[in-house]
């Protein structure tokens, strides 16, 4: 009945170094899944997009903005949105594109996003790398709220062909995230973190947060995890317990 398409190459820096990886995985891969859905008469298709399709827009982000991606990753997600719209209108496949902000939460050890990356570095006693000044901002959303949005996109019947910003409407600098990480490291690991600043990377968006009025009105979406520090602590604890279990099982 439904395909929830979450698979993608997601590394902005890698997309600049080797854009073919993101084209083959994100553009061709999405087309292949849409075509399978069409041939097998699947009813619903939910596509994981990203606010990166908007590029260096002036936040808050919203669905009415002109899309101007500044990385091959952002372009690949925009292509996916365009194919979803085309398959909705041409073939009647109910497609919904969800522009996720920065996702975090338990069980995220397979992610390469900043929260998971920072925690993995801390767990291994390594320095966390902050690109540029660290003043760049992100809108962090808990995985439970992502699941809520996906569920609502599936069960709502009148949203075919639409795209939605899925976020918390909160802007947080990376430097503040690093300070929170230091607090949690002191609390759970009894040590301060080491951090270093590296050169900013091309294609990285400086300010990124979204308003979610459309998702609230059409999907009934409302993020339940508004207190980021609490969700971050839950995530940090999950990594700590995972490491303890791995050590026990050695």
């Amino acid at each position: 009945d439904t395909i929830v398409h979450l698979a993608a190459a997601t590394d902005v820096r890698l997309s600049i170094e080797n854009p073919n990886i993101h084209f083959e995985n994100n553009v061709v891969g999405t087309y292949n899944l849409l075509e399978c859905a069409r041939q097998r008469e699947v009813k619903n298709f939910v596509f994981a997009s990203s606010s990166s399709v908007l590029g260096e827009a002036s936040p808050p982000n919203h669905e009415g903005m002109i899309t101007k991606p500044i990385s091959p990753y952002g372009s690949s997600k925009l292509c996916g949105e365009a194919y979803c719209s085309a398959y909705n209108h041409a073939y009647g496949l109910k497609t919904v594109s969800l522009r996720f902000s920065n996702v975090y939460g338990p069980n995220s050890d397979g992610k390469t996003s900043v929260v998971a990356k920072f925690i993995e570095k801390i767990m291994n006693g390594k320095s966390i790398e902050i690109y540029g000044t660290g003043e760049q901002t992100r809108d962090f959303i808990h995985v439970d709220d992502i699941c809520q949005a996906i569920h609502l996109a599936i069960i709502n019947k009148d949203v075919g062909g639409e795209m939605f910003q899925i976020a918390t409407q909160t802007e947080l600098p990376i430097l503040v995230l690093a300070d929170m990480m230091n607090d949690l490291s002191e609390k759970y690991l009894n040590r301060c973190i080491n951090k270093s600043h590296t050169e900013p990377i091309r294609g990285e968006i400086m300010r990124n947060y979204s308003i979610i009025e459309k998702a609230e009105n059409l999907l009934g979406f409302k993020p339940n995890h508004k207190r980021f520090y609490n969700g971050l602590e839950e995530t940090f604890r999950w990594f700590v317990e995972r490491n303890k279990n791995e050590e026990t099982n050695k």
Side-chain angles (χ1 to χ4, degrees):
D1 293 326
T2 299
I3 291 175
V4 180
H5 177 27
L6 303 174
T10 60
D11 191 316
V12 171
R13 185 165 54 177
L14 180 59
S15 81
I16 294 170
E17 295 171 356
N18 189 350
N20 185 63
I21 292 174
H22 288 67
F23 178 78
E24 290 292 339
N25 282 277
N26 300 356
V27 181
V28 178
T30 300
Y31 164 77
N32 287 339
L33 280 176
L34 285 165
E35 186 60 11
C36 286
R38 179 183 73 86
Q39 291 178 10
R40 288 159 177 77
E41 299 182 348
V42 174
K43 296 175 183 176
N44 305 294
F45 191 100
V46 180
F47 172 58
S49 187
S50 166
S51 292
S52 64
V53 302
L54 298 173
E56 198 64 84
S58 297
N61 300 328
H62 59 81
E63 295 83 358
M65 286 178 160
I66 296 173
T67 51
K68 292 182 179 180
I70 60 174
S71 68
Y73 167 68
S75 295
S76 70
K77 286 297 185 180
L78 183 57
C79 286
E81 286 189 6
Y83 267 105
C84 284
S85 177
Y87 269 68
N88 174 256
H89 289 283
Y91 305 116
L93 172 62
K94 197 198 94 178
T95 61
V96 181
S97 296
L98 302 178
R99 293 175 179 171
F100 299 152
S101 60
N102 289 69
V103 187
Y104 75 100
N107 297 293
S108 57
D109 50 339
K111 284 185 66 62
T112 57
S113 58
V114 63
V115 169
K117 188 185 297 183
F118 276 8
I119 297 177
E120 289 282 16
K121 292 276 189 180
I122 294 167
M123 291 294 161
N124 293 316
K126 296 180 180 179
S127 175
I128 63 172
E129 293 181 338
I130 298 174
Y131 300 134
T133 63
E135 295 174 351
Q136 58 268 44
T137 62
R138 296 294 181 262
D139 187 335
F140 293 100
I141 185 166
H142 194 280
V143 63
D144 288 353
D145 289 325
I146 290 295
C147 292
Q148 178 204 162
I150 292 169
H151 180 244
L152 291 169
I154 294 169
I155 65 174
N156 279 275
K157 299 184 182 303
D158 301 321
V159 292
E162 298 285 354
M163 80 280 296
F164 297 94
Q165 298 290 149
I166 304 299
T168 65
Q169 307 185 120
T170 303
E171 185 177 22
L172 187 85
I174 297 300
L175 280 177
V176 175
L177 171 64
D179 289 339
M180 291 180 176
M181 290 286 191
N182 189 64
D183 290 342
L184 293 169
S185 181
E186 288 183 333
K187 180 176 181 179
Y188 289 98
L189 302 176
N190 298 313
R191 64 172 184 259
C192 294
I193 67 171
N194 296 312
K195 58 187 177 182
S196 61
H197 288 261
T198 61
E199 290 295 315
I201 61 173
R202 295 178 62 187
E204 183 182 41
I205 297 168
M206 281 303 297
R207 294 185 64 203
N208 190 5
Y209 75 101
S210 303
I211 55 176
I212 55 173
E213 288 182 8
K214 183 178 178 182
E216 288 175 329
N217 294 333
L218 296 186
L219 291 178
F221 173 72
K222 184 179 180 180
N224 295 314
H225 293 261
K226 294 285 286 183
R227 296 183 177 180
F228 174 64
Y229 187 88
N230 292 350
L232 184 64
E233 184 172 17
E234 175 196 17
T235 306
F236 200 96
R237 281 201 312 268
W238 182 87
F239 276 87
V240 170
E241 290 302 317
R242 183 209 62 176
N243 279 20
K244 285 182 181 177
N245 292 334
E246 288 180 351
E247 289 297 323
T248 301
N249 294 327
K250 281 185 179 179

